[in-house]
Amino acid sequence: MSLRDFPLYLMETLKCWSSLHEYIVLFMFLTAVSKGSACEAPSSPECFRRTADESIYRCEWSMNTTDSDVTYDIYFDKLKFRNIRENWSNFNEERLIKYRPVNIWVAAHVGNSSCTSTRRTVILGHTVKYESPKNINMSWFKNNLSLSWTAAEKHPALAEVLFRRDEHPTESWEKRIINTSSDTSMYKVIVVNLLKDSAYQVQIRHRSTQARNPLWSNWSSVVTVPAELEQEPDVTMTIRHLNGTRKVMLTWKPMPHAAAVRGVTYSLSDTQSSQGCPCKKTRHPISTNRYTTYVSLSAVNISVLASNTAGYSPPAVIEVPAKPPADYKICDKTLLDEKSNKQTCLEFYEFQDEDLRPAHVITLLGREKKKESKHKRQNIMDFVRYLYFEHRCDDGKPQTVKTCLFYQNESVPRIEPQNLRAFGETQSSASFSWTAIPTADQRGFLTHYILCSEKISSQDEQKECHNVSASLTEHRLENLTPGTKYNISLVGVTRVGEGPKATVTINILPEKPVNVLWSISLLFIFFFLTTICTCVLKRIKNKIFPPVPKPVIPEFIPYQATCQEILERKEETVYELTLLQLHPEGKSVPEDTEETTILTREWDDDTDNDLEGERGDSRMSGGISDECLSPGLTDEALKSSREGEISELEQLDNEIAMLIYRNGLVFDVKTDSP
């Protein structure tokens, strides 16, 4: 009997009971009912299957009590299941009515009290409730967050997602209801328009889309979604060379805080250890930002990958190039045809144009099976140059013991030397340059080049050839014939033989005669320069040693008359000549300068005799006779003689007066008029 039916029952009892005994029984019943009403009723039960194919039904309810001694009875119409100790119970479908409506309720018993939940009418076969989402995976794609978890059924479901930013935990939850994808193993939803550089808190629940009466599952636990790892780790590498091995120390910067809220781990791998050459290592993820490893002398790629619960960063690939040998030597012996140790491995790098980081590498492990090793050796091609490495594992560290150049089989070059050209031609020589044959086209070890010259005009003369080192790409030919046309050929030579030829035709310049104009020009330039130098030297000499001027005194020869009439006349005119003493510059001529006066002697009778003697002497010597002059001309001759003497003396005085001594070099002469 429920509490709702109690008032009606009480009215009927009062009408029927009239004796005292009946009142006592009624009192005791009311006491029991009052005690039972103290129990708090449980919630109405939910009965469902986990999936549409399940044969087990689960019923769940809740009750707010702290008493541990509680038992429950669950009713399916008239069907009763008693003494249930938990607030849930599983029932086999064979014991239940699945496909018609039934009333279900729960009665709780706490001590001497009991209480009953409200009734619920359901069709059990139509009710499905999934388990809460578990094993949630998350990843970022641009600003969209992808969430996935294990699917409850093969059919899509409806999901409800709650999220908020992790750095703002007081924010209210945002809700998105999204249909999952049709993947049969995983449910997947995409939450769009989020901030991929922020961390989020997420909760998910889901329900069936196929059941007629689907129930929402319980909420998943709150999961934290870190921000996306957008950038690869910023790795710094330090290499230390040891005996045949290299110690590589790697460090990198920590990831951003939003991307590391749930922790970041780093995975490292290298191309040698992954192949087990020569040491096989297993590297586990680390949480620190530094790592030390050892590699051999061949090229190695080391990758560093950061990961969090939301995904992976792009890998940071650190290329450790092969250590270049000081001199590439030809392999004299390899372990290719010998039985190698299990701790030894061989590497064959396809060596193309000095590239120490080739894409194609053949690795032979000593511990490989014979059949597998034979199959790999078939990949080593003929006429292809390889860089051979021989490694071994020494105390867990890879060590390189041999490096050399290797051909399995050689041949002649496939192509000729490229871009053969001539330059710098003269009357007897020319230079030639070319581009070396690429390594891929040499098909063997190039020993040298052969450079030959052959005259085109002459068929009798033989070729003249020169061997050029394989390391050179330039050569000069001497002693060529001027004005001749030559065919030049160049060929690369390996240990097997010669390859194709590269040819070029050149014209040697003819000899040219000496240019006359050029010679004259050179001669003119020589004389011109000589003249200029002479003038310059003369001026320099005059500056250093200036010439001292000399006074010019013309020779004075008096006229002597030969006729008697001239001798009879007396000379009356007196001429006076004054000579002044020279003085240095800056000193004046004193007034009392000594003068020397020369007077002409008077002609008297005494001189007649002398003149007569002199005349006689002159006659004897073939001079002019007295008769050479006429009497009329005697006076004129004497007069002109005197006038000539006077004019010569005046001219002499004027010339002396014009000489002025300056700077110690020029005379300064004063003359007095007679």
Short mmCIF file of all heavy atoms in Angstrom, two decimals, residues 133-188:
data_model
loop_
_atom_site.label_atom_id
_atom_site.label_comp_id
_atom_site.label_asym_id
_atom_site.label_seq_id
_atom_site.Cartn_x
_atom_site.Cartn_y
_atom_site.Cartn_z
N PRO A 133 32.32 7.52 -23.52
CA PRO A 133 33.49 7.44 -24.41
C PRO A 133 34.79 7.23 -23.64
O PRO A 133 35.02 7.84 -22.59
CB PRO A 133 33.48 8.79 -25.12
CG PRO A 133 32.06 9.25 -25.04
CD PRO A 133 31.55 8.76 -23.73
N LYS A 134 35.62 6.38 -24.18
CA LYS A 134 36.91 6.08 -23.58
C LYS A 134 37.99 6.10 -24.66
O LYS A 134 37.70 6.00 -25.85
CB LYS A 134 36.88 4.71 -22.90
CG LYS A 134 35.92 4.63 -21.73
CD LYS A 134 35.91 3.24 -21.12
CE LYS A 134 34.92 3.15 -19.96
NZ LYS A 134 34.88 1.79 -19.37
N ASN A 135 39.24 6.20 -24.18
CA ASN A 135 40.39 6.22 -25.09
C ASN A 135 40.23 7.29 -26.18
O ASN A 135 40.25 7.01 -27.38
CB ASN A 135 40.60 4.85 -25.73
CG ASN A 135 40.79 3.76 -24.72
OD1 ASN A 135 41.42 3.96 -23.68
ND2 ASN A 135 40.24 2.57 -24.99
N ILE A 136 40.03 8.49 -25.72
CA ILE A 136 39.79 9.60 -26.65
C ILE A 136 41.12 10.04 -27.28
O ILE A 136 42.09 10.34 -26.58
CB ILE A 136 39.12 10.78 -25.94
CG1 ILE A 136 37.78 10.34 -25.35
CG2 ILE A 136 38.93 11.95 -26.88
CD1 ILE A 136 37.10 11.39 -24.53
N ASN A 137 41.14 10.06 -28.58
CA ASN A 137 42.29 10.56 -29.33
C ASN A 137 41.96 11.95 -29.87
O ASN A 137 40.80 12.25 -30.18
CB ASN A 137 42.63 9.63 -30.49
CG ASN A 137 43.00 8.24 -30.00
OD1 ASN A 137 43.66 8.10 -28.98
ND2 ASN A 137 42.55 7.22 -30.73
N MET A 138 42.99 12.76 -29.99
CA MET A 138 42.77 14.15 -30.43
C MET A 138 43.88 14.56 -31.38
O MET A 138 45.03 14.11 -31.26
CB MET A 138 42.71 15.08 -29.23
CG MET A 138 43.92 14.99 -28.33
SD MET A 138 43.60 15.48 -26.63
CE MET A 138 42.70 14.06 -26.01
N SER A 139 43.57 15.42 -32.30
CA SER A 139 44.56 15.95 -33.24
C SER A 139 44.03 17.24 -33.82
O SER A 139 42.82 17.48 -33.86
CB SER A 139 44.85 14.93 -34.36
OG SER A 139 43.70 14.68 -35.12
N TRP A 140 44.98 18.08 -34.27
CA TRP A 140 44.65 19.38 -34.83
C TRP A 140 44.82 19.34 -36.34
O TRP A 140 45.74 18.72 -36.87
CB TRP A 140 45.54 20.47 -34.26
CG TRP A 140 45.25 20.83 -32.83
CD1 TRP A 140 45.89 20.35 -31.72
CD2 TRP A 140 44.25 21.74 -32.38
NE1 TRP A 140 45.35 20.91 -30.59
CE2 TRP A 140 44.34 21.78 -30.96
CE3 TRP A 140 43.31 22.52 -33.00
CZ2 TRP A 140 43.53 22.57 -30.18
CZ3 TRP A 140 42.48 23.32 -32.24
CH2 TRP A 140 42.58 23.34 -30.84
N PHE A 141 43.90 20.03 -37.02
CA PHE A 141 44.05 20.29 -38.45
C PHE A 141 43.66 21.74 -38.68
O PHE A 141 42.48 22.09 -38.64
CB PHE A 141 43.17 19.35 -39.28
CG PHE A 141 43.27 19.59 -40.75
CD1 PHE A 141 44.41 19.23 -41.45
CD2 PHE A 141 42.24 20.21 -41.45
CE1 PHE A 141 44.52 19.47 -42.81
CE2 PHE A 141 42.33 20.44 -42.80
CZ PHE A 141 43.47 20.07 -43.48
N LYS A 142 44.68 22.57 -38.84
CA LYS A 142 44.49 24.02 -38.87
C LYS A 142 43.81 24.46 -37.57
O LYS A 142 44.35 24.20 -36.49
CB LYS A 142 43.70 24.43 -40.11
CG LYS A 142 44.43 24.14 -41.42
CD LYS A 142 43.67 24.64 -42.62
CE LYS A 142 44.45 24.37 -43.90
NZ LYS A 142 43.73 24.82 -45.10
N ASN A 143 42.66 25.11 -37.63
CA ASN A 143 41.97 25.54 -36.41
C ASN A 143 40.82 24.60 -36.03
O ASN A 143 39.93 24.99 -35.28
CB ASN A 143 41.42 26.96 -36.58
CG ASN A 143 42.52 28.00 -36.55
OD1 ASN A 143 43.55 27.81 -35.91
ND2 ASN A 143 42.32 29.09 -37.26
N ASN A 144 40.86 23.39 -36.52
CA ASN A 144 39.81 22.41 -36.24
C ASN A 144 40.39 21.30 -35.38
O ASN A 144 41.48 20.78 -35.65
CB ASN A 144 39.24 21.84 -37.53
CG ASN A 144 38.68 22.92 -38.43
OD1 ASN A 144 38.19 23.94 -37.96
ND2 ASN A 144 38.75 22.70 -39.74
N LEU A 145 39.62 20.91 -34.35
CA LEU A 145 40.05 19.86 -33.42
C LEU A 145 39.30 18.58 -33.76
O LEU A 145 38.06 18.55 -33.77
CB LEU A 145 39.78 20.27 -31.98
CG LEU A 145 40.08 19.22 -30.91
CD1 LEU A 145 41.55 18.85 -30.92
CD2 LEU A 145 39.65 19.73 -29.53
N SER A 146 40.04 17.54 -34.04
CA SER A 146 39.46 16.24 -34.34
C SER A 146 39.52 15.36 -33.09
O SER A 146 40.59 15.20 -32.49
CB SER A 146 40.21 15.57 -35.50
OG SER A 146 39.72 14.28 -35.73
N LEU A 147 38.37 14.79 -32.70
CA LEU A 147 38.26 13.91 -31.54
C LEU A 147 37.75 12.56 -32.00
O LEU A 147 36.82 12.48 -32.82
CB LEU A 147 37.30 14.50 -30.50
CG LEU A 147 37.67 15.89 -29.95
CD1 LEU A 147 36.52 16.44 -29.11
CD2 LEU A 147 38.94 15.82 -29.13
N SER A 148 38.36 11.52 -31.51
CA SER A 148 37.91 10.17 -31.89
C SER A 148 38.01 9.24 -30.68
O SER A 148 38.84 9.44 -29.79
CB SER A 148 38.75 9.64 -33.06
OG SER A 148 40.11 9.55 -32.69
N TRP A 149 37.14 8.24 -30.64
CA TRP A 149 37.12 7.25 -29.57
C TRP A 149 36.55 5.96 -30.13
O TRP A 149 36.04 5.91 -31.25
CB TRP A 149 36.33 7.77 -28.36
CG TRP A 149 34.89 8.08 -28.67
CD1 TRP A 149 33.81 7.25 -28.54
CD2 TRP A 149 34.37 9.31 -29.18
NE1 TRP A 149 32.65 7.87 -28.93
CE2 TRP A 149 32.97 9.14 -29.32
CE3 TRP A 149 34.93 10.53 -29.54
CZ2 TRP A 149 32.14 10.15 -29.80
CZ3 TRP A 149 34.10 11.53 -30.02
CH2 TRP A 149 32.73 11.34 -30.15
N THR A 150 36.60 4.91 -29.30
CA THR A 150 36.14 3.60 -29.75
C THR A 150 34.65 3.60 -29.98
O THR A 150 33.87 4.07 -29.15
CB THR A 150 36.50 2.52 -28.72
OG1 THR A 150 37.92 2.57 -28.46
CG2 THR A 150 36.14 1.13 -29.21
N ALA A 151 34.24 3.06 -31.13
CA ALA A 151 32.82 3.06 -31.49
C ALA A 151 32.07 2.00 -30.68
O ALA A 151 32.58 0.89 -30.44
CB ALA A 151 32.66 2.79 -32.98
N ALA A 152 30.85 2.34 -30.24
CA ALA A 152 30.00 1.38 -29.51
C ALA A 152 29.33 0.41 -30.46
O ALA A 152 29.14 -0.77 -30.14
CB ALA A 152 28.95 2.11 -28.68
N GLU A 153 28.96 0.88 -31.63
CA GLU A 153 28.32 0.04 -32.64
C GLU A 153 28.91 0.37 -34.01
O GLU A 153 29.69 1.31 -34.16
CB GLU A 153 26.81 0.29 -32.65
CG GLU A 153 26.07 -0.20 -31.43
CD GLU A 153 24.58 -0.04 -31.58
OE1 GLU A 153 24.12 1.08 -31.86
OE2 GLU A 153 23.88 -1.05 -31.41
N LYS A 154 28.49 -0.39 -34.99
CA LYS A 154 28.93 -0.15 -36.35
C LYS A 154 28.19 1.01 -37.00
O LYS A 154 28.56 1.44 -38.09
CB LYS A 154 28.74 -1.42 -37.18
CG LYS A 154 29.62 -2.58 -36.73
CD LYS A 154 29.39 -3.80 -37.62
CE LYS A 154 30.27 -4.96 -37.18
NZ LYS A 154 30.07 -6.16 -38.03
N HIS A 155 27.16 1.46 -36.35
CA HIS A 155 26.37 2.57 -36.89
C HIS A 155 26.87 3.89 -36.32
O HIS A 155 27.40 3.94 -35.19
CB HIS A 155 24.90 2.37 -36.55
CG HIS A 155 24.38 1.03 -36.95
ND1 HIS A 155 24.19 0.69 -38.26
CD2 HIS A 155 24.01 -0.05 -36.21
CE1 HIS A 155 23.73 -0.54 -38.33
NE2 HIS A 155 23.60 -1.02 -37.09
N PRO A 156 26.72 5.00 -37.06
CA PRO A 156 27.09 6.31 -36.51
C PRO A 156 26.28 6.64 -35.27
O PRO A 156 25.20 6.10 -35.04
CB PRO A 156 26.79 7.27 -37.66
CG PRO A 156 26.76 6.43 -38.88
CD PRO A 156 26.25 5.09 -38.45
N ALA A 157 26.81 7.56 -34.48
CA ALA A 157 26.15 7.97 -33.25
C ALA A 157 26.06 9.49 -33.23
O ALA A 157 26.64 10.19 -34.08
CB ALA A 157 26.91 7.45 -32.04
N LEU A 158 25.36 9.98 -32.25
CA LEU A 158 25.25 11.43 -32.04
C LEU A 158 26.08 11.77 -30.81
O LEU A 158 25.94 11.12 -29.76
CB LEU A 158 23.79 11.83 -31.83
CG LEU A 158 23.52 13.35 -31.72
CD1 LEU A 158 23.85 14.04 -33.04
CD2 LEU A 158 22.06 13.60 -31.33
N ALA A 159 26.94 12.76 -30.93
CA ALA A 159 27.85 13.12 -29.84
C ALA A 159 27.57 14.54 -29.37
O ALA A 159 27.21 15.41 -30.17
CB ALA A 159 29.30 12.99 -30.29
N GLU A 160 27.76 14.73 -28.10
CA GLU A 160 27.68 16.07 -27.50
C GLU A 160 29.03 16.37 -26.88
O GLU A 160 29.54 15.60 -26.06
CB GLU A 160 26.57 16.12 -26.46
CG GLU A 160 26.38 17.51 -25.87
CD GLU A 160 25.24 17.57 -24.86
OE1 GLU A 160 24.60 16.53 -24.62
OE2 GLU A 160 25.00 18.67 -24.33
N VAL A 161 29.62 17.51 -27.27
CA VAL A 161 30.96 17.88 -26.84
C VAL A 161 30.89 19.17 -26.05
O VAL A 161 30.30 20.16 -26.50
CB VAL A 161 31.91 18.05 -28.05
CG1 VAL A 161 33.32 18.40 -27.58
CG2 VAL A 161 31.92 16.79 -28.91
N LEU A 162 31.49 19.15 -24.86
CA LEU A 162 31.66 20.35 -24.05
C LEU A 162 33.14 20.72 -24.05
O LEU A 162 34.00 19.84 -23.90
CB LEU A 162 31.18 20.11 -22.62
CG LEU A 162 29.70 19.76 -22.43
CD1 LEU A 162 29.40 19.54 -20.95
CD2 LEU A 162 28.80 20.84 -22.99
N PHE A 163 33.46 22.01 -24.18
CA PHE A 163 34.86 22.42 -24.21
C PHE A 163 34.99 23.84 -23.67
O PHE A 163 34.05 24.64 -23.73
CB PHE A 163 35.43 22.34 -25.63
CG PHE A 163 34.71 23.19 -26.62
CD1 PHE A 163 35.09 24.50 -26.87
CD2 PHE A 163 33.62 22.69 -27.32
CE1 PHE A 163 34.43 25.29 -27.78
CE2 PHE A 163 32.94 23.48 -28.25
CZ PHE A 163 33.34 24.78 -28.48
N ARG A 164 36.17 24.12 -23.17
CA ARG A 164 36.56 25.46 -22.73
C ARG A 164 38.08 25.51 -22.69
O ARG A 164 38.75 24.48 -22.61
CB ARG A 164 35.97 25.80 -21.36
CG ARG A 164 36.49 24.92 -20.22
CD ARG A 164 35.80 25.25 -18.92
NE ARG A 164 36.23 24.37 -17.84
CZ ARG A 164 35.67 24.35 -16.63
NH1 ARG A 164 34.64 25.15 -16.37
NH2 ARG A 164 36.12 23.54 -15.70
N ARG A 165 38.62 26.73 -22.74
CA ARG A 165 40.08 26.88 -22.78
C ARG A 165 40.69 26.53 -21.43
O ARG A 165 40.16 26.89 -20.38
CB ARG A 165 40.47 28.29 -23.19
CG ARG A 165 40.25 28.55 -24.68
CD ARG A 165 40.82 29.87 -25.11
NE ARG A 165 40.13 30.99 -24.49
CZ ARG A 165 40.48 32.26 -24.65
NH1 ARG A 165 41.52 32.57 -25.41
NH2 ARG A 165 39.80 33.21 -24.06
N ASP A 166 41.80 25.84 -21.48
CA ASP A 166 42.44 25.35 -20.26
C ASP A 166 42.99 26.49 -19.43
O ASP A 166 42.98 26.43 -18.19
CB ASP A 166 43.56 24.37 -20.62
CG ASP A 166 44.22 23.77 -19.40
OD1 ASP A 166 43.55 22.99 -18.70
OD2 ASP A 166 45.40 24.10 -19.15
N GLU A 167 43.47 27.55 -20.05
CA GLU A 167 44.03 28.67 -19.29
C GLU A 167 42.95 29.56 -18.68
O GLU A 167 43.27 30.49 -17.94
CB GLU A 167 44.98 29.50 -20.15
CG GLU A 167 44.36 30.08 -21.40
CD GLU A 167 44.54 29.18 -22.60
OE1 GLU A 167 44.71 27.96 -22.42
OE2 GLU A 167 44.53 29.72 -23.73
N HIS A 168 41.69 29.29 -19.01
CA HIS A 168 40.57 30.04 -18.42
C HIS A 168 39.55 29.04 -17.84
O HIS A 168 38.48 28.83 -18.41
CB HIS A 168 39.89 30.94 -19.46
CG HIS A 168 40.80 31.98 -20.03
ND1 HIS A 168 41.60 31.75 -21.11
CD2 HIS A 168 41.04 33.27 -19.65
CE1 HIS A 168 42.30 32.84 -21.40
NE2 HIS A 168 41.97 33.78 -20.52
N PRO A 169 39.88 28.38 -16.73
CA PRO A 169 38.99 27.32 -16.19
C PRO A 169 37.68 27.85 -15.64
O PRO A 169 36.76 27.07 -15.38
CB PRO A 169 39.85 26.68 -15.09
CG PRO A 169 40.81 27.75 -14.69
CD PRO A 169 41.10 28.55 -15.92
N THR A 170 37.57 29.16 -15.43
CA THR A 170 36.31 29.71 -14.90
C THR A 170 35.31 30.02 -16.01
O THR A 170 34.18 30.40 -15.72
CB THR A 170 36.60 30.99 -14.09
OG1 THR A 170 37.25 31.94 -14.93
CG2 THR A 170 37.50 30.68 -12.90
N GLU A 171 35.72 29.88 -17.24
CA GLU A 171 34.79 30.13 -18.34
C GLU A 171 33.69 29.07 -18.35
O GLU A 171 33.89 27.93 -17.90
CB GLU A 171 35.53 30.12 -19.68
CG GLU A 171 36.41 31.34 -19.92
CD GLU A 171 37.04 31.30 -21.30
OE1 GLU A 171 36.90 30.25 -21.98
OE2 GLU A 171 37.66 32.29 -21.70
N SER A 172 32.55 29.43 -18.87
CA SER A 172 31.45 28.46 -19.00
C SER A 172 31.75 27.52 -20.16
O SER A 172 32.47 27.87 -21.11
CB SER A 172 30.13 29.19 -19.24
OG SER A 172 30.21 29.98 -20.42
N TRP A 173 31.16 26.34 -20.09
CA TRP A 173 31.38 25.33 -21.13
C TRP A 173 30.61 25.70 -22.39
O TRP A 173 29.47 26.13 -22.33
CB TRP A 173 30.93 23.96 -20.65
CG TRP A 173 31.75 23.39 -19.53
CD1 TRP A 173 31.54 23.54 -18.20
CD2 TRP A 173 32.92 22.58 -19.66
NE1 TRP A 173 32.48 22.88 -17.47
CE2 TRP A 173 33.36 22.27 -18.35
CE3 TRP A 173 33.64 22.08 -20.74
CZ2 TRP A 173 34.46 21.49 -18.10
CZ3 TRP A 173 34.74 21.30 -20.48
CH2 TRP A 173 35.15 21.01 -19.18
N GLU A 174 31.27 25.51 -23.51
CA GLU A 174 30.58 25.62 -24.79
C GLU A 174 30.16 24.22 -25.23
O GLU A 174 30.86 23.23 -24.96
CB GLU A 174 31.48 26.25 -25.86
CG GLU A 174 31.80 27.71 -25.60
CD GLU A 174 32.53 28.33 -26.77
OE1 GLU A 174 32.07 28.13 -27.92
OE2 GLU A 174 33.56 28.99 -26.54
N LYS A 175 29.02 24.14 -25.93
CA LYS A 175 28.48 22.84 -26.29
C LYS A 175 28.31 22.75 -27.80
O LYS A 175 27.86 23.68 -28.45
CB LYS A 175 27.13 22.62 -25.60
CG LYS A 175 26.48 21.28 -25.90
CD LYS A 175 25.22 21.06 -25.09
CE LYS A 175 24.12 22.00 -25.55
NZ LYS A 175 22.83 21.70 -24.86
N ARG A 176 28.69 21.60 -28.33
CA ARG A 176 28.47 21.28 -29.74
C ARG A 176 27.87 19.88 -29.84
O ARG A 176 28.37 18.95 -29.19
CB ARG A 176 29.79 21.32 -30.53
CG ARG A 176 30.54 22.64 -30.48
CD ARG A 176 30.01 23.62 -31.49
NE ARG A 176 30.72 24.89 -31.38
CZ ARG A 176 31.84 25.19 -32.03
NH1 ARG A 176 32.38 24.28 -32.83
NH2 ARG A 176 32.41 26.37 -31.89
N ILE A 177 26.79 19.73 -30.60
CA ILE A 177 26.20 18.42 -30.87
C ILE A 177 26.52 18.08 -32.33
O ILE A 177 26.13 18.81 -33.25
CB ILE A 177 24.68 18.41 -30.62
CG1 ILE A 177 24.40 18.69 -29.14
CG2 ILE A 177 24.07 17.08 -31.03
CD1 ILE A 177 22.93 18.74 -28.80
N ILE A 178 27.24 16.97 -32.52
CA ILE A 178 27.79 16.65 -33.83
C ILE A 178 27.54 15.17 -34.11
O ILE A 178 27.66 14.31 -33.23
CB ILE A 178 29.31 16.92 -33.87
CG1 ILE A 178 29.62 18.33 -33.35
CG2 ILE A 178 29.87 16.74 -35.28
CD1 ILE A 178 31.08 18.57 -33.11
N ASN A 179 27.17 14.87 -35.33
CA ASN A 179 27.05 13.48 -35.76
C ASN A 179 28.45 12.91 -36.02
O ASN A 179 29.29 13.56 -36.65
CB ASN A 179 26.21 13.37 -37.03
CG ASN A 179 24.75 13.59 -36.77
OD1 ASN A 179 24.21 13.11 -35.77
ND2 ASN A 179 24.08 14.33 -37.66
N THR A 180 28.69 11.72 -35.55
CA THR A 180 29.98 11.09 -35.76
C THR A 180 30.08 10.56 -37.18
O THR A 180 29.09 10.43 -37.90
CB THR A 180 30.20 9.94 -34.76
OG1 THR A 180 29.25 8.92 -35.02
CG2 THR A 180 30.04 10.43 -33.33
N SER A 181 31.31 10.24 -37.58
CA SER A 181 31.53 9.65 -38.90
C SER A 181 31.06 8.21 -38.92
O SER A 181 30.75 7.62 -37.88
CB SER A 181 33.02 9.75 -39.27
OG SER A 181 33.79 9.00 -38.35
N SER A 182 31.04 7.62 -40.10
CA SER A 182 30.52 6.26 -40.27
C SER A 182 31.60 5.20 -40.15
O SER A 182 31.43 4.09 -40.66
CB SER A 182 29.83 6.14 -41.63
OG SER A 182 30.73 6.46 -42.68
N ASP A 183 32.71 5.54 -39.53
CA ASP A 183 33.77 4.56 -39.33
C ASP A 183 33.25 3.45 -38.44
O ASP A 183 32.60 3.68 -37.41
CB ASP A 183 34.98 5.24 -38.70
CG ASP A 183 36.22 4.35 -38.76
OD1 ASP A 183 36.05 3.15 -39.00
OD2 ASP A 183 37.32 4.88 -38.58
N THR A 184 33.54 2.21 -38.79
CA THR A 184 33.00 1.07 -38.06
C THR A 184 33.73 0.80 -36.75
O THR A 184 33.19 0.12 -35.88
CB THR A 184 33.07 -0.19 -38.92
OG1 THR A 184 34.43 -0.43 -39.31
CG2 THR A 184 32.21 -0.04 -40.17
N SER A 185 34.95 1.33 -36.62
CA SER A 185 35.72 1.03 -35.41
C SER A 185 35.88 2.24 -34.49
O SER A 185 36.11 2.06 -33.29
CB SER A 185 37.11 0.49 -35.79
OG SER A 185 37.82 1.45 -36.56
N MET A 186 35.81 3.43 -35.06
CA MET A 186 36.02 4.63 -34.25
C MET A 186 34.92 5.65 -34.56
O MET A 186 34.48 5.78 -35.70
CB MET A 186 37.38 5.26 -34.56
CG MET A 186 38.58 4.37 -34.28
SD MET A 186 38.85 4.07 -32.53
CE MET A 186 39.36 5.68 -31.98
N TYR A 187 34.50 6.31 -33.50
CA TYR A 187 33.63 7.47 -33.66
C TYR A 187 34.54 8.70 -33.75
O TYR A 187 35.50 8.85 -32.98
CB TYR A 187 32.68 7.61 -32.49
CG TYR A 187 31.53 6.64 -32.50
CD1 TYR A 187 30.89 6.28 -31.32
CD2 TYR A 187 31.07 6.09 -33.68
CE1 TYR A 187 29.83 5.39 -31.32
CE2 TYR A 187 30.01 5.20 -33.70
CZ TYR A 187 29.39 4.84 -32.53
OH TYR A 187 28.35 3.96 -32.53
N LYS A 188 34.21 9.58 -34.68
CA LYS A 188 35.06 10.75 -34.91
C LYS A 188 34.19 11.96 -35.15
O LYS A 188 33.24 11.91 -35.93
CB LYS A 188 35.98 10.51 -36.11
CG LYS A 188 36.94 11.65 -36.40
CD LYS A 188 37.83 11.30 -37.59
CE LYS A 188 38.80 12.42 -37.90
NZ LYS A 188 39.66 12.09 -39.06
#
